[in-house]
Amino acid sequence: VDYYRDLLLKQDSPSDNFEGIVGSSDTLTNAMSMAARVAKTDATVLITGENGVGKDIFAQAIHDVSNRRDKPFVVVNAAAIPESLLESELFGFEHGAFTGAARGGRAGKFELAEGGTMFLDEIGDMSFAMQAKLLRVLQNKEIQKIGSNQLMNVNTRIIAATNRNLKQMVRDGQFREDLYYRLSVFPILIPPLRERKNDVPRLARFFLDQFCDDYGKSLTLAPETFEALERYEWPGNVRQLRNEIERAVILCDGEIILPEHFVSLVESISDISDVSDVSVSSPN
């Protein structure tokens, strides 16, 4: 029944290229519908949501459905690259631009993404100086390599993502207002997993099949396991669920995965028990 239900859901999904996004809740389906609508355009997209909800998967899906799908999809995590290196990573540099610069210079990510899509993850962690440089790219479709006096035209679509509240950052003076409006031409909010608990069983089965194939096992989830997974709040969202399923597949020596195979579920039950013990023993 689950197999045929999933087939029907795929037929009703906004696009076949979004089939990697698992779930059928109203909030997720709405986000997928919005993504499918904007995918065929060149509009700049701002994807927001908590860590682990799958912002990168949405960005990839938008690119795969777009008219740029045959061109590069280049990912840059603004939080993972030191500020001193981010400019050269994005725009490239000429030979001799600075001490240690590679002979002949190097192309930046914008050049590598020419004709395709640039996914700027963790955009909220970008400094004010880099925000100004990015704004120029969005406004003029031009970049300037470090050490060069020449401007270079670029044809790259921008998809940005963040887990931070950019509106609040603008109010606090931590993010440029003009850049915010340039980025949020088409905003998409991905809901956290705790707000779409009915997607948990389907995601659990999806990851279970994936890791059973990877580890050469044939396992099923016990009914009480499904119930426990749905009750849990999943602060780490889909990423946490995926990691927990992989760990459970590795730990399970039998054929049925039980709640005790999940570290987070065991810790959650333990925390609840500790609180109950305290309340019972309290003199008040």
Side-chain angles (χ1 to χ4, degrees):
V1 172
D2 291 332
Y3 171 76
Y4 288 110
R5 183 186 295 117
D6 287 341
L7 284 182
L8 289 172
L9 287 170
K10 286 180 181 179
Q11 290 176 1
D12 294 336
S13 65
S15 167
D16 289 342
N17 293 75
F18 284 81
E19 62 185 17
I21 301 173
V22 180
S24 59
S25 61
D26 291 342
T27 51
L28 183 68
T29 301
N30 179 64
M32 291 170 63
S33 241
M34 297 284 284
R37 284 175 178 271
V38 75
K40 299 295 185 181
T41 74
D42 282 336
T44 302
V45 179
L46 177 63
I47 304 175
T48 57
E50 297 177 3
N51 283 332
V53 294
K55 297 186 289 295
D56 55 336
I57 296 176
F58 264 78
Q60 180 72 65
I62 291 172
H63 171 76
D64 290 344
V65 174
S66 74
N67 297 326
R68 297 173 178 263
R69 57 184 172 271
D70 296 327
K71 298 296 184 179
F73 177 75
V74 178
V75 180
V76 176
N77 188 317
I81 302 174
E83 177 62 28
S84 58
L85 299 178
L86 185 56
E87 183 176 0
S88 63
E89 281 291 316
L90 289 176
F91 306 123
F93 55 84
E94 296 287 359
H95 171 65
F98 50 85
T99 302
R103 183 180 297 275
R106 192 176 70 180
K109 300 298 187 183
F110 274 102
E111 280 187 84
L112 297 177
E114 177 64 21
T117 304
M118 169 83 77
F119 176 45
L120 292 172
D121 200 5
E122 305 294 353
I123 194 73
D125 292 277
M126 188 175 283
S127 71
F128 249 77
M130 282 305 305
Q131 289 175 34
K133 295 179 187 298
L134 178 60
L135 179 64
R136 185 178 65 185
V137 178
L138 289 170
Q139 287 177 332
N140 303 326
K141 303 295 183 182
E142 294 176 337
I143 63 169
Q144 185 174 7
K145 285 188 174 185
I146 298 176
S148 172
N149 295 321
Q150 302 296 317
L151 293 175
M152 178 184 300
N153 293 326
V154 291
N155 174 24
T156 306
R157 182 192 196 165
I158 302 293
I159 300 178
T162 183
N163 64 339
R164 306 180 69 177
N165 187 336
L166 293 188
K167 283 186 178 179
Q168 186 60 50
M169 291 181 68
V170 169
R171 287 193 288 267
D172 294 341
Q174 298 174 345
F175 199 85
R176 291 182 64 107
E177 185 176 21
D178 46 6
L179 178 58
Y180 170 72
Y181 287 114
R182 283 283 182 176
L183 290 173
S184 59
V185 173
F186 199 95
I188 298 175
L189 172 64
I190 304 178
L193 191 54
R194 65 179 175 275
E195 294 180 5
R196 49 188 183 99
K197 290 290 189 69
N198 56 322
D199 285 340
V200 171
R202 183 166 289 106
L203 282 163
R205 283 191 293 268
F206 176 82
F207 293 134
L208 179 65
D209 291 343
Q210 182 182 97
F211 290 118
C212 280
D213 287 342
D214 290 346
Y215 295 110
K217 292 188 174 185
S218 179
L219 303 172
T220 58
L221 294 164
E224 59 267 32
T225 303
F226 278 115
E227 293 175 4
L229 292 177
E230 287 191 82
R231 286 197 302 269
Y232 186 66
E233 289 298 308
W234 298 109
N237 292 295
V238 179
R239 183 185 298 135
Q240 182 189 6
L241 175 59
R242 182 182 186 276
N243 293 341
E244 287 285 349
I245 294 291
E246 181 177 14
R247 186 183 294 113
V249 169
I250 295 171
L251 291 175
C252 183
D253 293 325
E255 297 180 351
I256 300 177
I257 297 178
L258 302 172
E260 52 261 37
H261 289 115
F262 291 85
V263 175
S264 294
L265 298 183
V266 173
E267 291 176 348
S268 177
I269 293 172
S270 176
D271 291 342
I272 293 173
S273 299
D274 290 344
V275 172
S276 298
D277 292 342
V278 170
S279 62
V280 168
S281 61
S282 172
N284 295 327

